[in-house]
Amino acid sequence: MHLRRTRLLMAALVAGAGLAVPAIQPAAAASDARTAAGSPAATPEFSPDRVLVRFSAGFFGRPAAAAVEASGGRLGDELFGWRVVEAPGRAADVARRLRGAPGVETVERDHIARAALEPNDTFYPTHQKPYLDQVRMPAAWDATRGSGVVVAVLDSGVDRTHPDLTGTRLLAGRDFINGDNDPEDDNGHGTLVTGVAAASIDNGRGIAGIAGEATMLPVKVLDEKGEGPVSAIAKGIEWAADQRARVINLSLGLAGQSGPAPEPPVLRAAVDYALSKDAVVVAAAGNDGSPWTAYPAAHPGVLAVTAIDVQNRLAYFSDWSVATDVAAPGVNILGTARAADVKPPNAPYGWGTGTSFAAPIVAGVATLIRARSPNLTDREVGDRIRSSATDAGPSGFDPYFGHGILDAAAALGVAGSRAALIYTRDTNDSMPGASALAGSTEGTIHPEGDVDWYYVDVTAPGTLSLTVNPPPTQEPVLAFDPVLQIFDAQGVGVTTPVNLKKKGEPETASALVAAGRYYLKVRNYHGSQSPG
């Protein structure tokens, strides 16, 4: 049994190697004086010009103004029982003098608030901001950037020479494919995933990693083909847990799975071991557009991540099932590329599409939570991510988005949650609510997993033929692929599900029938494809 990155895990890395490098110019050197040391919210900042004062009961008017003037300030507006004291350039001194003055009950410095962090990494504004705004990363970065937390990336290794991954944040790691201490990446997938999770943030170059100040632990468990035996994966999980990795990312899944499959016992034991060590384990759901989640993502206790596009639609390739926990961006995600995969003048960064790249976004947020709230257990971290997610698709939990779309800010507790993105189902999504079909009609399959029912009354024996014509689309990969089935009035199928044509082509179901009422069930072949 092998684990491998399922198809579409890598959309792009290197031209000439079956992959592709984006036309990105070399990153400039850091251009401003900001540093990335420590969390941005570690030290409060105060206004140099204003102080807030609460006076004792009955102390107001001229006596209050005189006390403030004696401190070097000037009495200003009233706000909910507090008075603003104007003290241009002298706020600290005025606050010190007012503390303990007669008639003064409380003195507070006036805090400074700023817009959510916008990193100065070169490609953040143009390449990352759209999908990271989807999960409200800038507000989350105002709380922490993950300093002090170890996140292990079990993959094909890492390129240690990458300028966004070098330094003391990158630990030595291990190679369980070749049995040594050099987890060099000979595939590219691991370097890309590592960068998504934890590339250096706010360093004036390249990209911003989700946990850009966390410590990275590379664990090589996949070979140059992006494949690896379960035994190596299991050993890598055990070793990462023993190294006290607080978060483990697994952007991989069981190979050759064409339906629900049992979890290999050794993999189950390894994941259970990591969970017993209080590691948060995050895994990619898989990329076959199928109604089952690949192991290890399907393991109870693992955060299983499906992928969405920039329009908050479940990505057409994403696997899904009741094991889904949360959805995150997974289409055209920018990561760090191996030096060997880059041709001048391109910078060492590449695009990835797949649940492989949604998972490290969630793993990065889990790392931020552990940095901000180190006493939370792995289960509590997972609960934070699930409970704070933005509900999407069918109301409440569903197999496509799980508990919803990742909301990093809400998970960190630094901002309120977003409005839900719940779809309203049509009324004919069950046999009792079937719509009458006379001649022709139009319908919509929406949201994810929707099914439409129609009925037709046949007055004499003969052949009943029903055809669905998919709408045209500018995105062939998202084309509607109808599956049809005809039922009698008792709900017994008179045809098996029919899906003979290619995506976007008309589909017809036919049956010899007697007089009576018949029902047509219409669905999309891939329930995770976008609505049609």
Side-chain angles (χ1 to χ4, degrees):
M1 184 72 69
H2 288 69
L3 287 176
R4 62 174 172 83
R5 52 182 176 86
T6 48
R7 65 185 178 84
L8 288 173
L9 283 183
M10 292 188 68
L13 265 185
V14 189
L19 308 164
V21 160
I24 297 178
Q25 295 303 310
S31 59
D32 71 22
R34 288 188 292 170
T35 68
S39 298
T43 304
E45 294 185 45
F46 302 108
S47 167
D49 306 317
R50 294 159 68 106
V51 177
L52 299 174
V53 179
R54 185 188 291 276
F55 293 105
S56 303
F59 194 80
F60 55 88
R62 184 58 198 163
V68 169
E69 289 169 4
S71 72
R74 181 175 59 83
L75 204 59
D77 295 335
E78 182 176 3
L79 295 169
F80 308 107
W82 293 80
R83 293 299 296 268
V84 176
V85 173
E86 303 290 349
R90 305 186 307 278
D93 287 339
V94 169
R96 178 175 49 80
R97 291 173 188 153
L98 281 170
R99 289 188 178 101
V104 175
E105 183 178 289
T106 310
V107 178
E108 288 283 340
R109 295 291 303 276
D110 197 357
H111 284 73
I112 293 292
R114 285 199 173 93
L117 171 71
E118 293 286 324
N120 67 0
D121 303 85
T122 310
F123 302 129
Y124 172 79
T126 53
H127 294 75
Q128 293 183 282
K129 183 175 172 59
Y131 61 81
L132 293 183
D133 278 354
Q134 277 183 278
V135 296
R136 301 205 301 159
M137 278 311 310
W141 284 326
D142 278 345
T144 178
R145 303 181 199 176
S147 179
V149 179
V150 176
V151 53
V153 179
L154 275 70
D155 214 290
S156 61
V158 69
D159 181 354
R160 292 187 169 280
T161 68
H162 198 286
D164 247 351
L165 301 176
T166 56
T168 57
R169 291 197 308 116
L170 184 62
L171 299 178
R174 284 288 295 273
D175 180 350
F176 289 97
I177 294 297
N178 300 301
D180 56 41
N181 294 324
D182 182 18
E184 183 63 30
D185 189 0
D186 50 9
N187 175 273
H189 189 263
T191 299
L192 200 68
V193 169
T194 303
V196 173
S200 295
I201 189 172
D202 217 25
N203 63 345
R205 63 154 56 93
I207 65 171
I210 301 300
E213 291 180 2
T215 301
M216 298 166 280
L217 180 64
V219 185
K220 183 178 176 66
V221 294
L222 303 179
D223 61 17
E224 71 279 0
K225 296 179 181 178
E227 300 177 351
V230 164
S231 57
I233 307 294
K235 188 63 180 175
I237 293 172
E238 178 189 35
W239 184 80
D242 285 341
Q243 303 310 301
R244 298 184 180 178
R246 304 299 308 283
V247 179
I248 296 175
N249 185 83
L250 300 165
S251 289
L252 42 78
L254 284 177
Q257 187 175 335
S258 58
E263 183 178 19
V266 68
L267 181 62
R268 179 169 62 249
V271 174
D272 283 340
Y273 180 77
L275 296 174
S276 75
K277 290 283 191 175
D278 195 38
V280 177
V281 182
V282 181
N287 301 306
D288 294 309
S290 303
W292 51 77
T293 300
Y295 284 106
H299 185 101
V302 173
L303 278 167
V305 184
T306 56
I308 58 170
D309 63 17
V310 292
Q311 295 176 288
N312 292 317
R313 304 177 302 192
L314 193 70
Y316 72 91
F317 53 78
S318 187
D319 290 351
W320 50 274
S321 76
V322 293
T324 302
D325 286 291
V326 69
V331 177
N332 294 332
I333 307 302
L334 192 61
T336 46
R338 294 187 308 160
D341 296 334
V342 180
K343 294 182 178 180
N346 290 335
Y349 300 91
W351 300 102
T353 285
T355 57
S356 265
F357 308 106
I361 292 177
V362 175
V365 171
T367 303
L368 299 184
I369 295 173
R370 304 220 87 159
R372 182 173 172 83
S373 305
N375 293 326
L376 292 181
T377 66
D378 67 293
R379 185 183 296 274
E380 290 169 334
V381 172
D383 288 343
R384 278 275 193 97
I385 289 173
R386 286 184 286 264
S387 65
S388 63
T390 300
D391 195 7
S395 180
F397 176 85
D398 63 77
Y400 315 104
F401 301 91
H403 295 271
I405 296 172
L406 177 70
D407 185 338
L412 268 291
V414 297
S417 59
R418 297 175 301 191
L421 304 170
I422 300 171
Y423 304 140
T424 301
R425 286 190 180 276
D426 41 31
T427 58
N428 66 337
D429 59 355
S430 65
M431 187 172 172
S435 301
L437 179 61
S440 65
T441 190
E442 291 187 354
T444 302
I445 297 296
H446 186 75
E448 307 296 343
D450 186 25
V451 175
D452 284 358
W453 287 82
Y454 299 89
Y455 71 86
V456 59
D457 291 321
V458 176
T459 58
T463 299
L464 174 62
S465 292
L466 297 161
T467 299
V468 172
N469 295 290
T473 178
Q474 299 300 314
E475 302 175 86
V477 73
L478 300 182
F480 182 49
D481 191 9
V483 180
L484 315 182
Q485 189 171 8
I486 300 173
F487 297 82
D488 64 18
Q490 286 71 46
V492 177
V494 296
T495 67
T496 57
V498 178
N499 180 239
L500 302 175
K501 302 296 183 66
K502 296 179 180 179
K503 290 181 181 180
E505 294 184 359
E507 197 74 63
T508 299
S510 297
L512 293 172
V513 298
R517 176 164 290 186
Y518 292 87
Y519 291 84
L520 172 66
K521 178 182 178 182
V522 185
R523 63 178 176 87
N524 197 349
Y525 178 74
H526 283 297
S528 63
Q529 282 189 296
S530 298

